[in-house]
Amino acid sequence: MNLLSKKCLSHSLATLAVAGALLSGTPQLFAGAPSTKGVVPVETKPADPWIHALLQVDISDHYITPRGLNVENEGVIFQPLFLVFWTLYSEPDAFLQDITLTTGVWSSFHTNKSGADPGYWNEFDPIAGLGFKFDGGVKLDLNYTAFKSMVDSYPTSQHMEIKLSYDDSKLWGGGFALNPSVAYWQELEDKATVVFDPSKSDESFYFTIGINPTFKAGPVKLEFPTFINLVGDDFYQQFDGSPGGDGLAVFCTGVKASIPLTFVPKDYGFWSLYAGVKYYHLDNQGLLDGNKVLTPNEHREDLVQFHGGISIFF
């Protein structure tokens, strides 16, 4: 063997020796599983659920509608609300951050029988809506409701609402917010108020202007919901069938305190208890005439409602 051949053979043997040492020292690199030595595992946040639900049961001494109708003032009133929120779109960093479909039902049960065909189950309302949340705390809600009397007191009425609200909590800080809103509410079919002469009754509308000042005192959340209703001339009707009159019809304000039930495991949803009081001032002759029929033992311009309940969010 010549000198060149010896050098080539020596070089080849050295290369094989080095390769063998590498193979014997790092078998995990060639065993089908990559090495994790020195690699920090990356924790991925689970995707937010695209469906949520709210169950709320309100208990009070009156059933007073947001339109000022004093439907019931005797016994105890139980009003369960069940809503399902379907996330159709979510992009937190975009101008349009969220689109949510809301479906649900609301009912009113009374311990005192009432209505044209007296019963305990007074009302059943299906609910549907679309909510659009924008950057900066602005939200637009488009809602549909129907009011069905389970005691045959009135024909089923249908309505729509367009509501614009603003979450201004970032402007104030410290957990305080005014939460201003404005809404337009329109009757689509039949009346949502007392009708004395159907031949002179027309579907109408009202505007709501409101605020809901909110802040926290420790674990307790305090809210002061306040609003006014500005109605169209035909929204309410007087005894003689004439329009109830337009302008300011309802002023409402109140206070509500709620506290979370932190002992309930989060796997069972977020539970809270609340209690509050509402004050209504009624300033429309058609509305006052309607209340004289609904609750003849309490025909007043000023009403007070005490209520409380439980709320569960899944």
Side-chain angles (χ1 to χ4, degrees):
M1 183 179 294
N2 58 33
L3 182 60
L4 179 59
S5 299
K6 290 181 178 180
K7 287 183 178 181
C8 290
L9 178 60
S10 298
H11 181 72
S12 299
L13 291 174
T15 300
L16 290 172
V18 172
L22 290 174
L23 287 172
S24 62
T26 56
Q28 68 272 22
L29 292 179
F30 301 93
S35 172
T36 58
K37 184 178 180 181
V39 178
V40 179
V42 177
E43 295 184 2
T44 58
K45 181 182 177 181
D48 292 333
W50 61 278
I51 180 172
H52 293 281
L54 171 69
L55 174 62
Q56 179 177 289
V57 180
D58 191 85
I59 305 171
S60 67
D61 64 338
H62 281 69
Y63 171 19
I64 304 175
T65 75
R67 289 151 291 283
L69 293 171
N70 191 14
V71 178
E72 181 61 83
N73 64 347
E74 294 183 357
V76 181
I77 292 89
F78 298 87
Q79 296 178 330
L81 169 70
F82 181 68
L83 298 175
V84 180
F85 307 98
W86 312 80
T87 301
L88 305 181
Y89 164 87
S90 180
E91 194 64 50
D93 297 326
F95 173 68
L96 176 58
Q97 298 181 339
D98 183 270
I99 301 177
T100 301
L101 170 67
T102 301
T103 56
V105 292
W106 177 93
S107 276
S108 192
F109 299 90
H110 307 173
T111 60
N112 181 61
K113 280 189 174 183
S114 61
D117 181 16
Y120 299 111
W121 186 7
N122 184 272
E123 187 176 331
F124 175 80
D125 302 348
I127 302 166
L130 276 176
F132 302 86
K133 182 180 178 182
F134 298 92
D135 184 30
V138 176
K139 188 178 181 184
L140 175 66
D141 289 294
L142 309 175
N143 298 315
Y144 164 86
T145 55
F147 299 160
K148 178 174 177 57
S149 174
M150 307 305 291
V151 290
D152 297 328
S153 292
Y154 51 84
T156 299
S157 59
Q158 301 182 59
H159 342 88
M160 61 159 284
E161 180 189 53
I162 303 173
K163 183 177 180 180
L164 190 65
S165 56
Y166 175 50
D167 178 2
D168 61 339
S169 57
K170 291 183 179 180
L171 297 180
W172 304 94
F176 175 77
L178 287 175
N179 299 308
S181 64
V182 60
Y184 171 75
W185 203 88
Q186 173 70 51
E187 294 172 323
L188 299 176
E189 183 177 352
D190 286 315
K191 296 293 293 180
T193 59
V194 177
V195 176
F196 296 103
D197 186 350
S199 67
K200 298 180 180 179
S201 177
D202 292 315
E203 286 82 8
S204 188
F205 66 92
Y206 67 86
F207 290 95
T208 298
I209 302 172
I211 57 173
N212 185 25
T214 303
F215 69 92
K216 288 188 176 181
V220 179
K221 180 181 178 181
L222 294 173
E223 301 174 73
F224 300 86
T226 302
F227 68 87
I228 60 171
N229 285 349
L230 305 172
V231 303
D233 191 49
D234 292 320
F235 192 74
Y236 302 104
Q237 191 179 64
Q238 299 185 49
F239 280 131
D240 61 5
S242 60
D246 59 2
L248 178 64
V250 179
F251 166 77
C252 177
T253 189
V255 59
K256 174 183 174 183
S258 57
I259 184 168
L261 302 181
T262 54
F263 60 85
V264 178
K266 291 184 178 180
D267 290 342
Y268 296 96
F270 297 90
W271 294 52
S272 63
L273 291 176
Y274 66 89
V277 59
K278 295 179 182 179
Y279 162 75
Y280 293 83
H281 177 71
L282 313 180
D283 190 20
N284 181 280
Q285 190 56 52
L287 172 57
L288 294 172
D289 287 353
N291 279 346
K292 289 177 183 178
V293 174
L294 293 172
T295 49
N297 59 340
E298 188 182 33
H299 42 85
R300 298 183 296 161
E301 296 181 355
D302 300 286
L303 301 171
V304 177
Q305 176 196 36
F306 295 93
H307 71 116
I310 187 168
S311 179
I312 308 169
F313 183 77
F314 303 93

